[in-house]
Amino acid sequence: NAGVTQTPKFQVLKTGQSMTLQCAQDMNHEYMSWYRQDPGMGLRLIHYSVGAGITDQGEVPNGYNVSRSTTEDFPLRLLSAAPSQTSVYFCASSYSRGLLTEAFFGQGTRLTVV
Amino acid sequence: KQEVTQIPAALSVPEGENLVLNCSFTDSAIYNLQWFRQDPGKGLTSLLLIQSSQREQTSGRLNASLDKSSGRSTLYIAASQPGDSATYLCASNQAGTALIFGKGTTLSVSS
């Protein structure tokens, strides 16, 4: 059972380039989300999805797009990379059993924009 | 808007000491509260999940408590070991989906 898998683990982009961070989960979880982690800022929510075909914005959505065509995959797209998007990105998934909604995280993608 | 605060930001203790990490939140209407561990350069590992109807959860040397009325949760680590050195994050779940995180407490246990 792989859990939540993120690729790539490391990436360097030039300002203005676009790229897609991949996230896949094999636990049949309904909910998936993307966070970014910056020093002194903690983890902040970028976008989330409550099921295939449904997405919504989090706290810091600008500059990012998401889509959810399948239950398993939730890619995060950077449209035109900026140095301010240098960060560590984490994808998470969670199931829902009433109030019991435990989140599981991937190992992260460390992105540097130069 | 929910705000989650963790105090202290950093903590250093000698091996064998019992310790408490604190987490406070402003909105008591939470579904659950989850504690994570993060090692440097690594992802988040779930330690304990406390549902809103529960008062505490235990796993090995770890015990987490939840007091919704006061907006507080604590993570108690018994007989600390150097391997416990990491950053500990708490996160509240407001609507059963995304999490609101505190900034974490970085723990260093010296041998």
Side-chain angles (χ1 to χ4, degrees):
Chain A
N1 190 338
V4 179
T5 302
Q6 290 184 237
T7 56
K9 289 185 171 55
F10 302 93
Q11 183 70 49
V12 178
L13 286 180
K14 294 182 179 180
T15 297
Q17 286 184 319
S18 63
M19 79 159 294
T20 298
L21 279 62
Q22 302 291 342
C23 176
Q25 53 94 5
D26 61 1
M27 297 173 282
N28 200 31
H29 286 173
E30 296 177 18
Y31 307 103
M32 297 186 74
S33 50
W34 277 101
Y35 298 83
R36 60 177 288 173
Q37 185 176 35
D38 303 290
M41 302 294 293
L43 280 95
R44 294 179 293 170
L45 180 66
I46 305 172
H47 286 285
Y48 66 96
S49 168
V50 299
I54 305 170
T55 63
D56 206 347
Q57 297 181 351
E59 182 183 355
V60 288
N62 292 340
Y64 307 96
N65 272 359
V66 292
S67 61
R68 184 96 180 270
S69 57
T70 67
T71 299
E72 295 78 19
D73 301 299
F74 190 43
L76 178 72
R77 298 182 185 84
L78 279 69
L79 307 175
S80 178
S84 61
Q85 294 178 304
T86 294
S87 186
V88 182
Y89 292 84
F90 289 101
C91 177
S93 73
S94 53
Y95 57 85
S96 177
R97 297 177 186 174
L99 297 181
L100 183 61
T101 307
E102 185 175 8
F104 297 86
F105 280 74
Q107 289 301 300
T109 295
R110 190 173 297 271
L111 176 68
T112 301
V113 182
V114 298
Chain B
K1 177 185 173 183
Q2 175 76 292
E3 292 183 4
V4 179
T5 303
Q6 292 186 248
I7 295 174
L11 180 64
S12 294
V13 300
E15 182 177 7
E17 190 163 302
N18 302 326
L19 59 101
V20 174
L21 307 181
N22 296 295
C23 173
S24 62
F25 45 93
T26 56
D27 185 352
S28 63
I30 63 172
Y31 272 38
N32 57 55
L33 190 132
Q34 196 167 353
W35 283 92
F36 295 88
R37 168 183 173 140
Q38 185 176 30
D39 293 293
K42 303 295 185 182
L44 280 69
T45 300
S46 180
L47 297 174
L48 289 165
L49 172 74
I50 311 177
Q51 296 181 54
S52 61
S53 59
Q54 297 176 320
R55 297 282 294 179
E56 64 178 54
Q57 282 285 340
T58 298
S59 177
R61 295 183 293 108
L62 305 180
N63 176 278
S65 68
L66 176 64
D67 184 343
K68 284 179 57 179
S69 62
S70 66
R72 296 179 64 183
S73 177
T74 63
L75 179 66
Y76 174 82
I77 302 176
S80 59
Q81 303 170 358
D84 294 330
S85 298
T87 296
Y88 292 81
L89 298 162
C90 71
S92 72
N93 187 325
Q94 297 304 109
T97 55
L99 299 174
I100 307 296
F101 282 86
K103 294 181 180 180
T105 294
T106 298
L107 173 66
S108 176
V109 181
S110 57
S111 57

